[in-house]
Amino acid sequence: MEIENLDHLGLVAALVDEIGLVELTDELLAPHPLNYISPGQVVKAMILNGLGFVSAPLYLFSEFFEGKPVEHLLGAGIKAAHLNDDRLGRVLDQLFEYGTTLFFLKVAMQAVHRFGVNISQCHLDSTSFALDGEYPIVARAEGASEAEAPQAIEICRGYSRDHRPELKQFLLNLICSADGGIPVWFKVGSGNETDSQSFAGLMRAFAEQWQMPALMVADAAFYSEPNLQAVGSLPWLSRVPQTLKAAQILVDSAPDPLTEMPCDLDGYQLWEQRQRYGGVEQRWILVESPHRKQSEDWLKPLEKQEKGLKRSLRQLCSQVFACKPDAVDALLRFQDSLTGYTLTQVALVSVAAKRPPGRPKRSQPSGLPALGYQWQATLERTAEYEAQCQQRHRRFILATNVLDEDTYPAERLLREYKAQQHVERGFRFLKDPLFFTSSVFVKKPQRVEALALVMALTLLVYSLGQRKLRAQLAQADDTVLNQKQRPTRNPTFRWILQKFQAIHLVSIGSSQQVSNLSEERSRIVRLMGFPACQYYLLN
């Protein structure tokens, strides 16, 4: 009798099979006849490892599969010893040579077709992954074209989203569908790239490769005059940065002259106006959020600003002026630099020289002349400025070049922008300690880029699993128990995977059976479809 830990890996393997990832990978990366395991099976094994609930996926790779039903998950004749670091490294090299963006594009297209994912609205964002190590820049061989030798990314220092500026990093750019947050496009960037410079190029590349004008939703980093002109007629929706003068005027002004738009979202108020910026005709939606009204976050930037002003005031008050006109001139210059603050309890005092130590001489006069003048003042914030900051905090502006108000009314645009959290949740998934946050142990930048591709494929499988289960629960009018033991139709797929711990594949001679498969677990497997039933030996 042999007992192996199947756990939740059967669900993951079933999703990989539904995508057809193994067959597609073997078609794109030709297997070598002397290899025990094909590139597609290695990629499948890496995804199983990535969703295996270990703190460092792809580290001690072959050890992860010890005690697990490798043949049952990957194919007959495959053993854990075949999944060694050398085989893993060679497949990562093949993925890089083929092109990580192109490879992911073909997998995503096949997944979107098979799972029926709607990609008419998509969301673009990027994040950084910090790495330890030197990672020198790899130069392209002399005389080699880009097609013959793809240029590796530069792993270098840049703006760190993880607040680790001392570490080198690379960027991961993702475009996810609004339908389930499924990643449909992927590109790895060098560590010093900026969103404002790369977003327009990413949008154009996505539109060219998918051959469809999806509405692209992005954050304020996209909104700049060069980017708006670069994307041309491609439909987009973006938040307008409040650093623009026109945006500040709109946010600070009373919305009475504007047209208020209908909105069923609880507490939200919307106003719309036409605007032209960067030579592009567009609609601006002024949004007032009820959640921001209750938040006290607007005080944080004020407190930071006030701290710097008080430091400058202390420097002014510590300065000794030789005459009153110089003191008054310095105070007026400081007051002119204030916005929203005023000085109170202002007084100009004379400063006398300190008496020198020791007994004074008889010839020394008893009274010492004034040495100069100093200011005494207190900094106070005005009530009008506080009200203005509160209003700025609870308002923001959305802009789009989609002028058809019937197809995309203001409320729909707000809903689409709020769905930007899909791609942000994907980044949180990849940075979770149980998934990929500290798993980059490869040394070559080429393999780092290929490993980022595996991370994106893992997120693709996870997102498809969550979307499919939620759709099946809704269709069957069924629920599962969440972490609080309450019924829900929208469970996270991570929670579902955790519910499948301690499931074993028991082999006695030529017969096999799965143990610890409770009624709820069996119901979830059947909802996930025929491939999952095969791995858990269910009819």
Side-chain angles (χ1 to χ4, degrees):
M1 184 174 65
E2 186 177 12
I3 301 175
E4 296 170 305
N5 296 325
L6 179 59
D7 299 331
H8 60 283
L9 298 181
L11 296 178
V12 179
L15 289 167
V16 174
D17 293 345
E18 282 192 81
I19 297 173
L21 181 58
V22 174
E23 296 79 9
L24 180 59
T25 304
D26 290 341
E27 178 183 338
L28 301 178
L29 311 179
H32 193 280
L34 298 180
N35 288 329
Y36 287 103
I37 180 170
S38 71
Q41 291 169 322
V42 173
V43 172
K44 182 179 181 180
M46 287 191 283
I47 294 173
L48 290 171
N49 187 206
L51 291 171
F53 293 119
V54 292
S55 59
L58 307 185
Y59 177 62
L60 302 176
F61 185 50
S62 60
E63 284 82 350
F64 168 79
F65 288 95
E66 293 181 359
K68 294 180 173 59
V70 179
E71 289 191 60
H72 184 68
L73 294 170
L74 298 178
I78 299 177
K79 304 182 183 302
H82 298 154
L83 299 166
N84 53 61
D85 293 341
D86 293 335
R87 187 72 185 109
L88 172 65
R90 285 193 293 269
V91 172
L92 290 177
D93 291 338
Q94 284 183 278
L95 290 171
F96 173 79
E97 291 168 4
Y98 184 84
T100 54
T101 299
L102 180 59
F103 183 91
F104 185 84
L105 174 69
K106 293 190 175 183
V107 175
M109 282 182 169
Q110 186 163 294
V112 165
H113 174 71
R114 294 192 175 189
F115 284 79
V117 180
N118 181 9
I119 60 170
S120 58
Q121 292 89 32
C122 294
H123 299 265
L124 167 64
D125 207 349
S126 67
T127 191
S128 60
F129 286 85
L131 306 176
D132 296 301
E134 292 297 328
Y135 288 102
I137 297 175
V138 179
R140 182 181 299 157
E142 185 177 355
S145 66
E146 186 174 353
E148 296 172 349
Q151 179 67 18
I153 58 172
E154 295 182 10
I155 299 177
C156 54
R157 292 181 177 87
Y159 173 72
S160 175
R161 278 83 163 175
D162 299 325
H163 307 292
R164 295 296 304 272
E166 76 281 3
L167 297 179
K168 293 183 178 181
Q169 63 181 20
F170 68 92
L171 297 186
L172 185 62
N173 302 288
L174 275 182
I175 295 178
C176 295
S177 67
D179 179 13
I182 310 301
V184 294
W185 200 81
F186 148 93
K187 184 176 177 60
V188 185
S190 300
N192 56 359
E193 290 184 5
T194 59
D195 295 348
S196 59
Q197 296 176 352
S198 61
F199 273 6
L202 297 176
M203 287 184 182
R204 291 198 310 270
F206 173 82
E208 291 171 1
Q209 294 174 351
W210 275 93
Q211 292 295 309
M212 64 175 302
L215 175 68
M216 192 65 63
V217 184
D219 58 22
F222 162 75
Y223 196 87
S224 66
E225 186 172 344
N227 284 346
L228 299 186
Q229 295 174 351
V231 297
S233 60
L234 296 177
W236 52 263
L237 171 65
S238 173
R239 183 168 176 170
V240 180
Q242 291 195 18
T243 53
L244 295 181
K245 187 65 176 179
Q248 293 175 1
I249 294 174
L250 180 59
V251 168
D252 293 339
S253 62
D256 299 336
L258 303 178
T259 304
E260 185 168 358
M261 310 304 293
C263 182
D264 294 333
L265 292 174
D266 188 24
Y268 280 94
Q269 289 183 281
L270 306 179
W271 298 270
E272 183 171 332
Q273 73 170 25
R274 291 297 177 98
Q275 185 68 256
R276 187 175 183 85
Y277 178 76
V280 179
E281 191 72 22
Q282 52 196 273
R283 296 159 57 197
W284 276 20
I285 314 298
L286 176 62
V287 183
E288 188 164 297
S289 168
H291 310 291
R292 289 172 168 260
K293 287 183 180 179
Q294 304 168 359
S295 172
E296 296 294 330
D297 291 343
W298 63 276
L299 283 171
K300 293 180 180 178
L302 279 185
E303 291 171 350
K304 183 178 180 180
Q305 179 188 24
E306 192 170 308
K307 186 177 180 181
L309 292 175
K310 286 183 177 179
R311 186 185 307 114
S312 300
L313 180 60
R314 285 195 300 269
Q315 293 174 355
L316 175 64
C317 293
S318 65
Q319 189 174 352
V320 179
F321 298 93
C323 61
K324 289 183 179 181
D326 290 346
V328 173
D329 184 58
L331 182 69
L332 292 176
R333 286 199 306 271
F334 181 77
Q335 282 183 322
D336 291 341
S337 67
L338 296 178
T339 302
Y341 289 86
T342 184
L343 296 177
T344 60
Q345 302 177 5
V346 181
L348 183 64
V349 297
S350 59
V351 181
K354 292 184 179 180
R355 183 182 295 276
R359 179 177 295 181
K361 299 180 180 180
R362 291 183 179 181
S363 59
Q364 183 176 343
S366 57
L368 293 176
L371 180 64
Y373 300 92
Q374 279 185 319
W375 284 108
Q376 294 178 351
T378 304
L379 188 71
E380 286 190 4
R381 190 189 311 142
T382 63
E384 295 80 3
Y385 187 59
E386 281 193 359
Q388 185 184 61
C389 291
Q390 282 182 300
Q391 180 168 296
R392 285 184 179 180
H393 176 71
R394 65 176 180 257
R395 290 180 176 180
F396 60 93
I397 302 173
L398 299 178
T400 180
N401 63 343
V402 180
L403 304 181
D404 185 359
E405 298 179 9
D406 296 329
T407 305
Y408 280 96
E411 181 182 342
R412 183 180 178 184
L413 292 174
L414 176 59
R415 291 181 183 273
E416 293 295 344
Y417 182 77
K418 287 170 66 68
Q420 183 75 358
Q421 60 183 334
H422 284 314
V423 66
E424 296 169 355
R425 286 174 180 169
F427 290 145
R428 288 198 297 269
F429 162 82
L430 293 177
K431 293 187 176 185
D432 192 291
L434 285 178
F435 296 107
F436 278 98
T437 186
S438 300
S439 63
V440 183
F441 292 103
V442 292
K443 296 181 179 180
K444 294 168 60 177
Q446 294 90 336
R447 291 186 177 180
V448 171
E449 183 172 342
L451 186 57
L453 168 62
V454 176
M455 296 164 68
L457 292 173
T458 304
L459 176 60
L460 174 66
V461 172
Y462 177 89
S463 303
L464 288 171
Q466 181 168 275
R467 176 184 178 274
K468 179 176 182 178
L469 180 60
R470 290 180 176 182
Q472 292 292 91
L473 288 171
Q475 182 178 353
D477 194 18
D478 201 355
T479 60
V480 296
L481 297 179
N482 63 10
Q483 293 90 327
K484 298 181 179 179
Q485 300 303 306
R486 296 176 181 173
T488 179
R489 289 182 183 173
N490 296 305
T492 65
F493 200 53
R494 173 175 176 170
W495 170 243
I496 296 301
L497 298 182
Q498 289 177 328
K499 291 173 76 74
F500 274 70
Q501 301 303 300
I503 294 181
H504 304 102
L505 179 66
V506 182
S507 302
I508 304 176
S510 59
S511 64
Q512 291 181 323
Q513 65 180 21
V514 177
S515 65
N516 295 335
L517 200 58
S518 64
E519 180 181 350
E520 183 186 36
R521 291 171 172 174
S522 300
R523 184 160 46 89
I524 293 173
V525 171
R526 289 192 171 93
L527 287 171
M528 293 301 294
F530 175 72
C533 292
Q534 284 187 306
Y535 282 102
Y536 290 95
L537 308 181
L538 291 176
N539 295 327

